[in-house]
Amino acid sequence: MSRDSAVAVRGGGVRQVGRGAVGGGLLRWAVLAVAVGCWEVAARAHDSVYFPPPGRITDHAYELWFSGPVRHVFLTDAAVDNIGPSLGRMAAGFLIAAVAGIALGVAVGRSRRTYALCNPVLQFARAVPPPALVPVFVVVLDFGTQMQVASIAFSALWPVLINTAEGARNTDPLRLDVAAVLRLNAVERLRFLLLPSALPRIFAGLRLSLSLSLILMVFSELLPGTANGIGFTLTDAQSRSDLLTVWAALVLLGALGYLLNTGLLAVEKRLIGKGRPV
């Protein structure tokens, strides 16, 4: 096959992959649109106060959170007072869990003996339901931001730690032998071998931790003593029988989870594409 023919074949393959990706994206959005449309029709047909149609929920969410002035990026005071603190607590807990989990995971995964000794403890900690630990943090730290961030960080730590340890442990032994021959120091082995090999597992753990962080963020804000946040908005709306606000908060949480996961996937594709070992 000539060079021009090979280039043409590759170009055709790229175009087909591109069309397939676009078609798959359109299909996903079409399925979502059909699901929302069915919900809208069913809700309007039954006219139940407990299950309002998506159109009313969207209008209420817009008025409640996103109808502010331009200088505030269209955010209302309610959005600044509730969505901002929630995302701040979640980000702090997730970042603490990510940094500590990756560092401890690499330290545990580098040694097979250390991994074998620590694995039962790690599996036990992972098996404990995260919401069950919140009362412990309430006793130790009392109600407030410290307790909320600590509960998020502690519960989100284990998926990152365990997946990082597994990824580091599964580094190709041949590469480790080559590193020994080349006399790479500990920092060079970490940079060029362990982290690139563990990167796919690290991001798998980060995605799990991100979901746990969102769940724990809401759960910790449902407790007494909380004065703001999305979880506080849920309990306050429930106490006032404001079901539109309850539904708007639930939709907001789903949208935040989707956007955060999409952003993390984009970072994963970019870093793994650059950092994957050859």
Side-chain angles (χ1 to χ4, degrees), residues 135-212:
V136 177
F137 287 100
V138 171
V139 172
V140 175
L141 300 173
D142 203 357
F143 293 104
T145 301
Q146 282 186 330
M147 179 276 295
Q148 293 165 334
V149 173
S151 63
I152 293 170
F154 186 82
S155 299
L157 168 70
W158 307 109
V160 182
L161 197 162
I162 292 172
N163 277 277
T164 302
E166 287 284 352
R169 192 170 72 95
N170 292 330
T171 303
D172 189 352
L174 180 60
R175 294 179 182 276
L176 295 176
D177 292 340
V178 172
V181 171
L182 296 177
R183 297 182 180 179
L184 299 183
N185 58 37
V187 175
E188 291 171 335
R189 291 189 184 191
L190 177 65
R191 179 181 177 184
F192 297 113
L193 289 179
L194 295 177
L195 283 180
S197 296
L199 208 54
R201 296 298 298 267
I202 290 174
F203 273 99
L206 288 175
R207 289 198 301 273
L208 291 173
S209 293
L210 187 63
S211 300
L212 282 175

Side-chain angles (χ1 to χ4, degrees), residues 5-182:
S5 300
V7 170
V9 170
R10 287 197 296 269
V14 169
R15 285 194 294 270
Q16 289 179 358
V17 171
R19 292 194 194 101
V22 172
L26 292 176
L27 182 60
R28 287 192 294 270
W29 285 108
V31 170
L32 176 62
V34 169
V36 173
C38 292
W39 180 6
E40 182 83 22
V41 171
R44 291 190 180 278
H46 288 81
D47 195 23
S48 172
V49 68
Y50 300 106
F51 298 97
R56 289 183 59 196
I57 296 172
T58 303
D59 292 341
H60 183 70
Y62 171 78
E63 292 295 331
L64 185 62
W65 293 312
F66 305 111
S67 59
V70 177
R71 65 179 181 275
H72 291 161
V73 200
F74 301 105
L75 295 176
T76 63
D77 292 338
V80 174
D81 293 340
N82 291 292
I83 299 176
S86 288
L87 292 179
R89 297 178 191 118
M90 177 183 170
F94 177 72
L95 288 176
I96 293 171
V99 173
I102 292 173
L104 293 174
V106 170
V108 170
R110 288 180 63 184
S111 168
R112 293 186 179 275
R113 184 175 182 180
T114 303
Y115 180 86
L117 292 174
C118 295
N119 188 50
V121 177
L122 299 179
Q123 298 303 328
F124 173 83
R126 183 177 66 171
V128 176
L133 296 171
V134 172
V136 177
F137 287 100
V138 171
V139 172
V140 175
L141 300 173
D142 203 357
F143 293 104
T145 301
Q146 282 186 330
M147 179 276 295
Q148 293 165 334
V149 173
S151 63
I152 293 170
F154 186 82
S155 299
L157 168 70
W158 307 109
V160 182
L161 197 162
I162 292 172
N163 277 277
T164 302
E166 287 284 352
R169 192 170 72 95
N170 292 330
T171 303
D172 189 352
L174 180 60
R175 294 179 182 276
L176 295 176
D177 292 340
V178 172
V181 171
L182 296 177

